């Protein structure tokens, strides 16, 4: 399996391919994100659980942008509801060992998901958690247009030390520095690229952020209207709206179960 998966992902090593929500109430969270981002929620019964797909549009062949599952019982109480990303890698086992050798941690050892691929849950040397996966080849998987409302538009890392974090991910995923933006007292914001395309940013963790973590931004068509949908559906706006370099507008939010997420739009 690993050989076949590796051949299918060798040109996408380091590419974000999925986002996943672990939450205390999948039914309520599904309603919330459907109202805010327009997603459809499709339950997929699996052995011992139900996994929920987040899709854009309706019907049998809709682009999937992420998934949702109930927060496992062993994590409830000390891990809050949260979003996490999946990065494609050529070899999950080798990459997991690289995380550990580089000072990070393997939270869940590599294992197979039948019909999907092989994955592991890891953390970088500062403790920010991320998932890695070698997906199996999938024929005819629909994809949403880049930048479409409801898709992931940006990936952001709050690190204990910017240069240390960047060097680690550059060595592990092959990411490169696109450019730096001087934020004054807040330090440098580093735009990083995957195979030459800028996909996210890294910065030193602000005091308001308790632990190093990844943040996921979802595209919306008009930030003010999306903010109104967040509050109407029971979520909270933590920060924003705020204009950022490049002309985008962003807001940081929490859903009713407490999971953090962010919004981004090219218009207010």
């Amino acid at each position: 399996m690993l050989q076949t998966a590796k051949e299918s992902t060798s040109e996408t090593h380091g590419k974000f391919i999925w986002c996943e929500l672990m939450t205390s109430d999948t039914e309520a969270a599904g309603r919330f994100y459907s109202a805010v981002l327009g997603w459809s929620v499709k339950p997929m019964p699996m052995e011992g659980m139900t996994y929920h797909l987040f899709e854009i549009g309706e019907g049998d062949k809709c682009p999937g942008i992420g998934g949702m599952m109930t927060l496992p019982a062993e994590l409830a109480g000390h891990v809050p509801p949260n979003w996490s990303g999946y990065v494609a890698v050529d070899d999950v086992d080798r990459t997991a060992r690289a995380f550990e050798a580089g000072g990070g941690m393997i939270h869940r050892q590599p294992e197979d998901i039948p019909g999907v691929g092989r994955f592991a849950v890891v953390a970088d040397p500062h403790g920010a958690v991320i998932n890695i996966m070698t997906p199996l080849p999938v024929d005819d998987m629909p994809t949403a247009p880049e930048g479409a409302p409801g898709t992931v538009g940006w990936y952001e890392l709050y690190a204990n030390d910017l240069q240390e974090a960047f060097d680690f991910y550059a060595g592990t995923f092959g990411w490169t520095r696109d450019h730096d933006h001087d934020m004054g007292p807040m330090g440098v914001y580093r735009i990083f690229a995957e195979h030459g395309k800028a996909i996210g940013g890294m910065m030193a963790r602000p005091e308001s952020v308790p632990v190093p973590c990844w943040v996921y931004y979802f595209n919306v068509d008009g930030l003010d209207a999306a903010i109104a949908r967040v509050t109407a559906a029971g979520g909270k706006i933590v920060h924003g709206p705020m204009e950022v370099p490049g002309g985008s507008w962003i807001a940081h939010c929490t859903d009713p179960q407490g999971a953090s997420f962010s919004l981004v739009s090219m218009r207010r």
Side-chain angles (χ1 to χ4, degrees), residues 38 50 54 103 123 219:
T50 298
F54 287 129
N219 289 310

Side-chain angles (χ1 to χ4, degrees), residues 7-240:
E7 289 171 354
S8 71
T9 61
S10 59
E11 295 183 357
T12 60
H13 181 88
K15 179 182 178 66
F16 277 98
I17 57 172
W18 197 248
C19 268
E20 186 173 86
L21 174 66
M22 289 199 299
T23 184
S24 56
D25 189 333
T26 55
E27 184 176 348
R31 289 195 303 268
F32 174 81
Y33 287 102
S34 294
V36 172
L37 297 172
W39 294 339
S40 298
V41 183
K42 179 185 292 185
M44 291 187 63
M46 300 175 69
E47 185 177 351
M49 63 171 289
T50 298
Y51 193 82
H52 303 263
L53 294 180
F54 287 129
E55 298 180 333
I56 298 175
E58 299 180 354
D60 295 332
K61 280 284 186 177
C62 295
I65 65 90
M68 173 176 62
M69 61 183 287
T70 300
L71 191 68
E74 64 270 21
L75 299 181
H78 61 275
V79 174
N82 66 88
W83 280 96
S84 61
Y86 282 73
V87 176
V89 297
D90 292 343
D91 187 319
V92 163
D93 296 71
R94 185 175 64 226
T95 304
R97 290 194 298 269
F99 264 76
E100 197 168 42
M105 181 178 295
I106 302 174
H107 284 296
R108 184 163 181 169
Q109 292 291 335
E111 62 181 276
D112 294 331
I113 304 175
V116 176
R118 188 168 177 82
F119 86 107
V121 182
V122 293
D124 67 24
H126 297 166
V129 175
I130 200 164
N131 305 288
I132 53 176
M133 172 173 274
T134 302
L136 291 172
V138 178
D139 295 329
D140 270 349
M141 177 175 283
T143 57
E146 184 176 337
T151 58
V152 184
W154 197 248
Y155 305 91
E156 191 168 80
L157 175 67
Y158 295 129
N160 280 344
D161 182 281
L162 170 60
Q163 191 61 48
E164 285 182 3
F166 175 76
D167 289 345
F168 175 81
Y169 284 104
T172 307
F173 292 148
W175 294 342
T176 56
R177 182 175 71 88
D178 189 83
H179 67 277
D180 289 347
H181 176 72
D182 186 356
M183 299 189 298
M186 294 183 67
V188 169
Y189 189 84
R190 175 159 298 173
I191 308 296
F192 66 91
E194 174 261 314
H195 287 89
K197 177 185 175 183
I199 61 167
M202 300 181 185
M203 62 181 289
R205 176 174 58 88
E207 291 184 1
S208 59
V209 178
V211 295
C213 62
W214 281 94
V215 179
Y216 303 91
Y217 288 74
F218 299 105
N219 289 310
V220 292
D221 184 15
L223 189 64
D224 285 344
I227 285 175
R229 294 194 297 271
V230 169
T231 55
K236 296 179 180 178
I237 307 303
V238 178
H239 183 68

